[in-house]
Each structure stands twice: as C-alpha cells, then as structure tokens.
Amino acid sequence: VNKALRPAPRAPQAFGERCGIGVVFQRHGHAKRLHQPRANLRAAPAGQHRSIFDRALERIDRDPGCLAGVKVVKRSVREKIFSTWQEKRAGREALTFLYGMGLGPASAARVYKSLGPAAPALVREDPYRLCRSVWGIGFLTADRIARQLGVPPDSPRRITAGLSHLLDAAAGQGHCFLPVRRLSSSAERLLELAGGTIEPFLSALATDPRFVLERRGEETDVYLRDLWISETELAADIVRLREEVAK
C-alpha cells in the first residue's frame, strides 16, 4: 500500500529550464563517448526515451553553448562534451561534403583521415590534392570532383595534375620520362582540350619543383623530379662502378 501511494519521481531538470531539454548526459567509461541515460529518464513516459535524447542532441547541435546551463554535470565534463561534440560535428560536415562529391564511404573515410576536418576547404581550394595525398583516389576521380566544383577545363592546376598523372602512368610502364610532343598530345586527349593547348604551357613546368625538363638533342624530355633524381643517381653509380673495374 505504501509503495502504491508513493509519489511518482520527478523528472530531473538536466539542462535546466533555460535550455528546455529533459535529458542528462553522463560519462560512462570513455570520455569521448556520449551515452543515452537510463535511470535519469525513468520519469519519462514509456517509449519516449529515444525522442527525448534525440531532441537533446539536436539542441546541442544548434546551440552547443546551452551546455553551460547544465548544473548537474561537472564543468570539466561539460567542457569535454563541448569539445568532443564540436570535433564530431566537423567530422560529420566533412563527410557530408565528400559524399556530396560522389565519394563512397571508404574513399570519404580515407580523405577525412588524410585531410581531417578541414577536408572541405582543402578540396575546394585544390581538388587535385586528392590524387596527390590520398591513397586510392586517382586523377580521374579528382578531376570529376574538380569539374563539379567549377574548375575550368583549361585551368593550369588541372593541366599540371593531368601531366603528372600521365607521367605516373608512363612510370608504371617502365618509362622515366616522356618527350614533350608525346606528353602534349596525350594530355590533350586525356583532358579533352584543343590541339596546341598544352605545349605552350609546358615551358612553365621548368619552375615547378615537381618536374624536370631536360634537353636531349632536338627534343625536350619531361620527368617527375623523383624519377629524374633516381635515374641521375643510378647513372652516377654505374659510372663509378665502371671506373672502379677499370682500375
């Protein structure tokens, strides 16, 4: 009888009336995990626990400063919740952007791991950063994203990325360099540009640290710098060994 007449427990005022959220964040185990409370929601009607928790998350997402009104949670915990929420929010926004660019979950996760929360700004600044910095994303994917972001077809950045891609592909076939004429015609086909567009641009590569231009008779050869260094050092080693044998 006494149990039946006992007053129903009052719902805890977790975030206070100022926030208008009837939910309490508790820390269980790992500080970086936010869990749905159980005992603290026992006064809520059955079936409404999840919706109450969701409303709390939505409120924090809109106004993280509302955590300052949580008197039942220690200040250090509130600060941890706030910083973690900001970090997770930036991650969600970055992944949403990458999904919108047509990347799948695995590719988007690799981009986020490589570039971090600043991924959207970095990709907008230079979409071809993706094929340089993220394993598994090639030039064609980066170029598709660049076109979505409005990069002009004859953009110097696009042309440079295309040339680098062609030289990489040639290296996979055993070539350390490509002659200018062959590289120009291949680039114009790849980038779908008019004939004669690429060759005038190639002279600017002489000042780009990623490339090396080397005269060979009447021809000019274009190397990726890493391959040029490897070939030069290998040639020097062969000469040195030959001289040692001749002694």
Side-chain angles (χ1 to χ4, degrees):
V1 173
N2 289 338
K3 184 177 180 181
L5 295 176
R6 184 179 304 166
R10 295 178 60 191
Q13 292 187 353
F15 279 74
E17 294 182 357
R18 288 187 300 169
C19 292
I21 302 174
V23 68
V24 176
F25 278 105
Q26 293 178 330
R27 186 174 62 172
H28 301 282
H30 301 290
K32 286 194 175 183
R33 296 181 63 188
L34 301 178
H35 296 258
Q36 181 174 357
R38 296 175 183 174
N40 290 329
L41 288 175
R42 61 184 180 274
Q48 292 187 12
H49 289 190
R50 184 62 187 170
S51 62
I52 291 173
F53 186 67
D54 286 343
R55 288 198 295 273
L57 299 184
E58 290 171 3
R59 178 60 186 274
I60 294 175
D61 208 26
R62 293 195 308 268
D63 180 20
C66 70
L67 290 170
V70 186
K71 303 304 181 185
V72 294
V73 180
K74 293 181 180 178
R75 179 178 178 180
S76 60
V77 177
R78 292 202 306 267
E79 291 174 351
K80 188 66 178 179
I81 291 173
F82 178 77
S83 62
T84 302
W85 190 261
Q86 292 291 80
E87 177 186 338
K88 300 298 182 184
R89 181 178 184 177
R92 292 197 309 273
E93 291 173 351
L95 289 174
T96 299
F97 168 79
L98 296 170
Y99 294 150
M101 293 291 102
L103 294 179
S107 297
R110 287 198 300 274
V111 172
Y112 184 74
K113 183 177 180 180
S114 177
L115 303 181
L122 293 173
V123 171
R124 288 189 181 99
E125 177 190 354
D126 180 9
Y128 299 101
R129 184 192 303 270
L130 293 171
C131 57
R132 297 195 306 269
S133 306
V134 183
W135 178 85
I137 295 185
F139 169 78
L140 296 180
T141 298
D143 191 47
R144 174 177 55 77
I145 292 173
R147 302 304 299 275
Q148 285 180 256
L149 293 173
V151 175
D154 58 350
S155 163
R157 185 166 284 170
R158 180 174 186 251
I159 293 174
T160 301
L163 294 173
S164 182
H165 167 71
L166 290 170
L167 290 169
D168 271 330
Q173 299 173 357
H175 303 292
C176 291
F177 64 87
L178 287 176
V180 162
R181 292 178 185 175
R182 180 177 170 185
L183 181 60
S184 297
S185 59
S186 298
E188 286 162 359
R189 288 194 300 272
L190 172 69
L191 302 175
E192 299 179 345
L193 296 174
T197 303
I198 301 294
E199 195 160 347
F201 176 83
L202 290 172
S203 59
L205 294 184
T207 59
D208 191 318
R210 292 171 292 178
F211 301 91
V212 173
L213 274 63
E214 191 173 80
R215 293 288 299 177
R216 180 171 54 88
E218 298 298 321
E219 276 282 4
T220 299
D221 301 325
V222 184
Y223 293 77
L224 290 173
R225 181 168 293 276
D226 289 344
L227 285 175
W228 178 83
I229 291 172
S230 298
E231 186 178 62
T232 302
E233 290 179 347
L234 179 60
D237 287 342
I238 292 173
V239 171
R240 178 179 55 79
L241 289 172
R242 183 178 178 181
E243 290 174 351
E244 290 178 355
V245 170
K247 290 180 181 179

